Amino acid sequence: MPASTDSASVVLTARALLLDMDGTLVNSDAVVERCWRAWALSHGLDPQKALTVVHGRQGYATMALLLPGRPMELNHTENAEMLARETADTDGVVPVAGAPEFMAAISRLPHALVTSADAALAGVRMTAAALPMPDVRITAESVGASKPDPEGFLKGAAELGVDPADCVVFEDSGAGIAAGLAAGMRVVGTGPRAAAHGPTVHVDDLTSVRVEALADGSIRLTLTPAR
């Protein structure tokens, strides 16, 4: 469905919302940076370089980018170890600004979580941030390909029974924004990482989003773009 604008806001209408977790609903940057800095240093890599590609992807995909040519089975093994470390560490995990109110506003509307985390990590982080877990969720176990592949978002739309063109994605990372756009969806980019990756609309955080349920069953999003 189309977007409309005025001088201060952008309005999108949709039939369903597909939500990334880390950086979009949950601020887990402290944990991500601790774990990936340690991993990068253990492999003789620049931690800052690792942190430029880690967001939005499954761990094995990040490792494949940073250590090209390494056997993929080793990436999957180390990714399992990374997931265990991240799941055990919730220090500093908090909701993104506006996330509790946003989740309350969409609680009765069609929505799904689409995250590169596995089910255990997603559960731990949503709990640590005191956010409700959506009934429909696409986690790492649900897909064969990591973002920026659109598989996760397409599966989320299918689970909700909604055409991809009628979905709006909320994402913070370059990989996630690319995945949403590749799925034929509009993308609300949230937070500072999103600005450089061409989302449909860019907002500072979820305090810039107002949600309304319309009489025809659709969802109206009124967004205040980042400046």
Side-chain angles (χ1 to χ4, degrees), residues 207-224:
T207 64
S208 299
V209 182
R210 183 160 58 91
V211 181
E212 299 171 82
L214 303 182
D216 66 357
S218 62
I219 303 163
R220 176 188 289 145
L221 302 169
T222 304
L223 308 145
T224 302

Side-chain angles (χ1 to χ4, degrees), residues 1-13 168 170 186-189 199-203 208-212 219-227:
M1 295 182 183
S4 62
T5 66
D6 60 33
S7 59
S9 64
V10 174
V11 177
L12 301 177
T13 55
V168 168
F170 283 77
R186 287 139 317 141
V187 179
V188 177
T200 309
V201 186
H202 175 224
V203 298
S208 299
V209 182
R210 183 160 58 91
V211 181
E212 299 171 82
I219 303 163
R220 176 188 289 145
L221 302 169
T222 304
L223 308 145
T224 302
R227 297 188 184 280

Side-chain angles (χ1 to χ4, degrees), residues 24-26 94-105 129 131-132 205-207:
T24 301
L25 299 174
V26 175
V94 295
V96 165
E101 297 80 3
F102 175 77
M103 294 301 287
L131 295 175
D205 54 45
L206 295 172
T207 64

Side-chain angles (χ1 to χ4, degrees), residues 64 67-77:
L67 296 172
R70 191 170 80 147
M72 188 57 76
E73 58 266 27
L74 186 53
N75 293 334
H76 282 286
T77 297

Side-chain angles (χ1 to χ4, degrees), residues 80-103:
E81 296 167 355
M82 176 68 73
L83 285 169
R85 287 194 293 273
E86 290 189 276
T87 302
D89 185 354
T90 59
D91 187 21
V93 174
V94 295
V96 165
E101 297 80 3
F102 175 77
M103 294 301 287

Side-chain angles (χ1 to χ4, degrees), residues 1-217:
M1 295 182 183
S4 62
T5 66
D6 60 33
S7 59
S9 64
V10 174
V11 177
L12 301 177
T13 55
R15 292 284 173 181
L17 308 178
L18 302 179
L19 317 173
D20 174 53
M21 182 181 68
D22 292 302
T24 301
L25 299 174
V26 175
N27 183 343
S28 57
D29 283 1
V31 177
V32 172
E33 291 187 9
R34 277 195 297 273
C35 291
W36 281 95
R37 282 182 184 278
W39 180 88
L41 289 170
S42 73
H43 289 81
L45 299 173
D46 177 0
Q48 288 305 119
K49 181 181 178 182
L51 292 174
T52 65
V53 298
V54 65
H55 296 287
R57 292 180 173 85
Q58 292 191 43
Y60 75 84
T62 295
M63 293 170 185
L65 284 174
L66 293 170
L67 296 172
R70 191 170 80 147
M72 188 57 76
E73 58 266 27
L74 186 53
N75 293 334
H76 282 286
T77 297
E78 291 192 5
N79 183 45
E81 296 167 355
M82 176 68 73
L83 285 169
R85 287 194 293 273
E86 290 189 276
T87 302
D89 185 354
T90 59
D91 187 21
V93 174
V94 295
V96 165
E101 297 80 3
F102 175 77
M103 294 301 287
I106 69 169
S107 62
R108 296 182 181 275
L109 302 175
H111 67 284
L113 189 73
V114 182
T115 176
S116 294
D118 66 3
L121 181 57
V124 163
R125 286 191 176 159
M126 292 291 280
T127 298
L131 295 175
M133 178 65 81
D135 291 335
V136 178
R137 42 197 179 264
I138 306 298
T139 60
E141 300 95 333
S142 309
V143 297
S146 172
K147 299 171 186 175
D149 191 283
E151 180 185 0
F153 288 121
L154 292 172
K155 282 197 169 184
E159 287 279 342
L160 294 169
V162 176
D163 189 274
D166 290 328
C167 295
V168 168
V169 167
F170 283 77
E171 263 286 359
D172 74 301
S173 70
I177 290 167
L181 294 174
M185 302 172 182
R186 287 139 317 141
V187 179
V188 177
T190 63
R193 281 191 290 268
H197 301 290
T200 309
V201 186
H202 175 224
V203 298
D204 289 323
D205 54 45
L206 295 172
T207 64
S208 299
V209 182
R210 183 160 58 91
V211 181
E212 299 171 82
L214 303 182
D216 66 357

